[in-house]
Amino acid sequence: MLANVHTVCIETSPLGRARRTAAILCEELGLDANALVVSPLLSEHSMETWQGLTHAEVDALYPGARQVREVNKWTYVVPEGESYSLIDIRARQWLANKRHALVTIAVTHEMLSRTIQGAYGGLTPTETLGLSHRQDRNYWLHAGQIGELSC
């Protein structure tokens, strides 16, 4: 399939795994990989000081923090990281950006994808957190509707 930058734009998280996926999409669609738009707004949920730690390690370093987070997952800010409400702000900023193509493909990460869907669909924080997004799924947003692509 050949596409051009006026009909299809691919925006990606700056993280390597997302950029590799976006490059594959460009190749499959016949787009120049240099046409990719790298957007920090599509970055993964920042877990900063908790990144890469097991639950046991988080509990040892930050006693009680995971329990506090579970009580209010939407607004709890991981030390030096982000809360889901902060991710929601990024999702809304990304959705509000002007697009130069008819179709925009966003290559991002699980929680940001759910948050974009929640913001687009007008969902509550609880509904947004309850969304599921498996790694092998693709979703579309159009005319106020959200759906899963069948591949």
Side-chain angles (χ1 to χ4, degrees):
M1 172 183 193
L2 290 177
N4 65 56
V5 295
H6 300 294
T7 58
V8 178
C9 173
I10 299 178
E11 295 187 28
T12 184
S13 159
L15 297 181
R17 63 186 185 266
R19 290 178 79 156
R20 283 188 294 280
T21 299
I24 292 167
L25 286 170
C26 279
E27 185 177 319
E28 290 297 316
L29 294 172
L31 291 170
D32 182 347
N34 293 325
L36 283 176
V37 176
V38 177
S39 175
L41 294 174
L42 294 174
S43 292
E44 176 70 281
H45 175 203
S46 174
M47 296 298 281
E48 272 315 305
T49 58
W50 291 13
Q51 188 69 36
L53 300 178
T54 65
H55 289 314
E57 291 168 331
V58 170
D59 292 343
L61 292 168
Y62 305 94
R66 282 192 320 110
Q67 292 77 13
V68 172
R69 181 175 183 249
E70 283 304 312
V71 171
N72 195 352
K73 222 173 197 178
W74 189 256
T75 59
Y76 183 84
V77 178
V78 173
E80 299 179 38
E82 292 179 295
S83 65
Y84 291 118
S85 63
L86 291 173
I87 297 169
D88 182 65
I89 291 169
R90 281 199 285 125
R92 291 174 188 281
Q93 289 173 337
W94 183 82
L95 284 167
N97 284 345
K98 297 248 185 239
R99 302 294 188 293
H100 65 272
L102 295 173
V103 174
T104 299
I105 298 171
V107 181
T108 188
H109 310 277
E110 185 256 346
M111 191 57 221
L112 189 65
S113 173
R114 291 194 292 168
T115 308
I116 288 170
Q117 291 177 60
Y120 184 80
L123 303 181
T124 67
T126 301
E127 291 169 327
T128 299
L129 290 172
L131 292 173
S132 173
H133 185 131
R134 291 181 24 198
Q135 298 298 322
D136 63 346
R137 298 293 188 253
N138 299 292
Y139 297 89
W140 55 263
L141 312 174
H142 179 70
Q145 299 293 310
I146 303 168
E148 185 176 324
L149 288 176
S150 299
C151 298

